[in-house]
Amino acid sequence: QVQLVESGGGLVQTGGSLRLSCAASGRTFGNYYMGWFRQAPGKEREFVTAINWSGTDTVYADSVKGRFTTSRDNAKNTVYLELNSLKPEDTAIYYCAARTTPGIYSGSLLYDYWGQGTQVTVSS
């Protein structure tokens, strides 16, 4: 069983920045492929970014490319999401997710474990 706990969300003005963290339990975190998703009120959950086990390969949604950066520290069992140049449309609950088998994917159904989410609100 893997437990994921997100933190770092909050209220920020347009153009501001936040850094989200996702701490994972388990000794095999270094084997997991990790993803970040978000869900705005009244909308479906959407893919934000994903990172491979070593942190050397990442994929981003077009809507966040160039503004968001994901990274990981396997020694700390933690994956990060740096959010820059935030816009009101980035307002959502942000979730991290883990895949226990190899592959960087954008489909939420392909992830095995999920955190409880952290709220990001961007004011205009």
Side-chain angles (χ1 to χ4, degrees):
Q1 192 75 0
V2 177
Q3 290 188 325
L4 303 173
V5 179
E6 302 96 334
S7 61
L11 173 63
V12 64
Q13 291 185 334
T14 296
S17 298
L18 284 172
R19 189 193 197 200
L20 308 183
S21 299
C22 173
S25 65
R27 300 180 180 178
T28 57
F29 174 77
N31 294 334
Y32 304 155
Y33 283 59
M34 302 297 295
W36 287 93
F37 293 78
R38 66 185 182 184
Q39 188 166 18
K43 295 188 177 181
E44 293 187 354
R45 189 170 299 189
E46 66 172 355
F47 171 77
V48 176
T49 181
I51 188 168
N52 71 339
W53 68 273
S54 62
T56 57
D57 192 14
T58 55
V59 173
Y60 295 90
D62 288 343
S63 59
V64 306
K65 201 170 294 183
R67 299 189 298 122
F68 291 9
T69 303
T70 188
S71 61
R72 65 190 296 162
D73 185 339
N74 289 341
K76 296 182 178 180
N77 279 16
T78 302
V79 62
Y80 303 98
L81 181 62
E82 193 87 27
L83 293 72
N84 297 310
S85 302
L86 282 162
K87 306 174 182 179
E89 51 264 44
D90 294 318
T91 295
I93 299 174
Y94 283 71
Y95 300 89
C96 70
R99 272 181 57 83
T100 56
T101 52
I104 295 181
Y105 296 101
S106 60
S108 60
L109 295 178
L110 298 173
Y111 288 79
D112 304 301
Y113 298 98
W114 292 83
Q116 83 291 345
T118 185
Q119 176 72 48
V120 171
T121 303
V122 185
S123 63
S124 56

